[in-house]
Each structure stands twice: as structure tokens, then as C-alpha cells.
Amino acid sequence: MKLFLVFQTLSSQVRATILMIVTLFMFTCMGIFIRLSADSLPVFEVVFFRNALALLLLLPIIMRAGWSSLRMKKPKLFFVRALINIGGMFCGFTALTLIPLAQMTALGFTGPIFVTIGAVFFLGEVIRLRRILAIGVGFLGTIIILQPGFTEISAGAIMALVSALSIAMASLIVKKLTATETPEAIVTWMVAMQAPLALIPAISVWEWPSLEAWGYLWAMALTGTIAHLCFTRAYRLVDITALQPLEFIKLPFAVILAWVVFSELPGLWTWIGGAIIFA
């Protein structure tokens, strides 16, 4: 309780920064549990459980906040976001099974580039020469990681880029929604809409999870839910572009966790490309 009171006295920027760091760590943990779950279950099924279990986890929060907190003022935006996000989930979850976690994370740094471009068209933000140059440098970093012409661009890398684009688009919609909707509504309706969308393809490849797989699935849902609740609140506090530089924190998180759990270490070009995209 005391920590919460101290947290509330901090400036909006500091609170948003703390929430975003928690978000990025939780999303990285979720990536670990996604891969562990996908070792024994089809990806379509993992995506379904990610949403269905998260909905169950959100029930106590909804009951505490009241059902009125779920009222939608812009239902079309909610549905568009769910469609975009579910496609990004399928691509991102599949990519996690095909390429190292650090490479997936580094390619995810293209997200802020997509967000910057999208903010011009979707949020009406003005893009100046500095940001145009930053986008160009970020694109160069992506090329360094992918190394087209020197190595074959894998299906996993392409899916990681599609996932980053989808997440960027969904993030812009979330920023738009935070002006009129509650964090509980934004997160709850996301999983409530995505669960049935994911169930349709999951049924065709259905396998009952083992006891161990259930543990990974619940951990995946828990870390993902915490991440979404934190970043939705962070987006309400400050401009979306103010939080984008923090994305780079995901790379050391991913490197450490992937090394501990999977004995994976990123290649030199992943580090260089990721650093350039961040810069």
C-alpha cells in the first residue's frame, strides 16, 4: 500500500516509465512461456489459450472495477484492434518457434518506426526531418539484422516483422482508445474478442495440454495480462512516442532469459542491428 501511495506521488513521466519497464519485462517473459508451450502444442492453440485464460484472470479485476467499466464508446475500434492483434499474435507466436528470442526482439524494434509513421496518419502528429532520418537509420538496422543477399531471409524473420507492424498498429489504436475508454475495457475486450477468433483455427489442430503445458499456458496468460494492463495505463499518462525509446530494454531482458532458459546467445549482427534501430 505504501509503495502504491509513493508511486502516485511521482510525475506522470516517471510513472509511465516504470509501468513500461514492467510491461517490457512481462512481455519478454511471455515470449519464453509461449515457446515452452509451443514445444508440445500447436501455435493456434497457444494463441487461443493466451486469450481465453487471460479473460479468466481479468474477472476479479472486472468485478472490483464494476461491469460499467467495460462499457464501449467506440466498439468499431475495439473490433478492428482485435482483428489486427490476432493476426499479429499468430505471426509473432509462430516466429518465436522459428528464430532465436533475441533476434525476434531485435526485429521487434521496428515497431517504433511503424508507430512513428502511423502516428502521422492516424493521430495527426507532425513528422519532421529528424524523425524521417531516424526512420531511415532504423530501416538500415533492420537490413543489418536480416542481411538480405548474404543470408536467406527466414520465414520466422518475416513473421517477426509482420508481428511488429501489427503490434504498432494495435498500439496506435490503444492510444486512441485511452482518450475515451477505461484500461479494464481495453484489455478485457481485446481477449474477449480474440478468444473466439483464435478458437476457430485451434479446433482443427486441437491437442489436450499436459500438466506441464498447463503451467506454461497459465504463466503466459498471467505475464501477458500484467503487461497489457501496465502499458495501457502508461499510454494514458504520456504521449506514445515518449515511451518508444524504452523498447530497447527488451533486448537485454531477452538475451538474459533466453540464455538461462534455452542456452541461446544472439549473434553479433543482431546486437549491431538492434543498437542501430534503437539509436
Side-chain angles (χ1 to χ4, degrees):
M1 189 64 180
K2 289 183 179 180
L3 285 175
F4 177 76
L5 293 175
V6 171
F7 179 77
Q8 292 297 105
T9 63
L10 301 174
S11 68
S12 296
Q13 183 64 54
V14 173
R15 279 184 287 154
T17 299
I18 294 172
L19 287 168
M20 201 62 185
I21 291 172
V22 174
T23 294
L24 297 171
F25 179 72
M26 287 296 162
F27 272 139
T28 307
C29 290
M30 185 181 73
I32 295 288
F33 293 123
I34 288 168
R35 180 179 291 185
L36 291 170
S37 302
D39 282 344
S40 59
L41 294 170
V43 170
F44 287 148
E45 196 174 337
V46 176
V47 173
F48 165 72
F49 278 117
R50 158 68 184 92
N51 292 283
L53 297 180
L55 188 58
L56 295 177
L57 290 171
L58 284 165
L59 285 177
I61 297 174
I62 296 167
M63 294 176 69
R64 182 177 180 182
W67 293 103
S68 60
S69 66
L70 298 184
R71 187 178 295 113
M72 290 186 285
K73 297 175 182 175
K74 296 182 178 178
K76 288 183 179 178
L77 271 185
F78 276 94
F79 187 67
V80 170
R81 184 234 183 158
L83 285 177
I84 292 172
N85 213 44
I86 198 68
M89 273 191 176
F90 283 130
C91 289
F93 283 29
T94 303
L96 280 167
T97 67
L98 298 175
I99 60 176
L101 182 62
Q103 186 183 10
M104 172 77 181
T105 303
L107 289 172
F109 293 155
T110 56
I113 300 173
F114 297 138
V115 167
T116 302
I117 296 171
V120 175
F121 299 101
F122 191 67
L123 300 177
E125 294 186 7
V126 178
I127 183 170
R128 305 189 186 280
L129 179 61
R130 184 177 63 179
R131 288 193 179 182
I132 294 173
L133 292 174
I135 290 170
V137 172
F139 179 73
L140 174 62
T142 307
I143 295 297
I144 288 174
I145 296 172
L146 295 176
Q147 299 181 62
F150 297 95
T151 60
E152 183 180 352
I153 299 177
S154 67
I158 294 172
M159 287 189 171
L161 288 173
V162 173
S163 175
L165 174 60
S166 300
I167 291 171
M169 294 170 66
S171 296
L172 290 167
I173 295 175
V174 168
K175 178 60 180 176
K176 195 82 171 177
L177 288 172
T178 55
T180 58
E181 318 290 338
T182 66
E184 291 80 14
I186 293 171
V187 177
T188 302
W189 283 112
M190 177 192 75
V191 293
M193 291 178 176
Q194 289 173 184
L197 290 173
L199 180 60
I200 297 169
I203 289 174
S204 64
V205 291
W206 190 268
E207 297 177 21
W208 281 108
S210 64
L211 186 61
E212 182 180 10
W214 274 117
Y216 296 143
L217 290 169
W218 277 106
M220 170 189 66
L222 178 62
T223 51
T225 301
I226 293 172
H228 274 286
L229 287 171
C230 286
F231 99 79
T232 301
R233 281 169 168 76
Y235 278 13
R236 296 191 81 176
L237 293 170
V238 296
D239 290 340
I240 190 170
T241 50
L243 298 173
Q244 297 310 300
L246 293 172
E247 289 282 336
F248 190 66
I249 296 173
K250 284 177 70 176
L251 188 55
F253 284 161
V255 169
I256 293 170
L257 290 176
W259 174 61
V260 171
V261 180
F262 303 117
S263 299
E264 285 182 358
L265 285 174
L268 176 62
W269 295 114
T270 298
W271 278 110
I272 294 174
I276 289 174
I277 294 172
F278 169 69

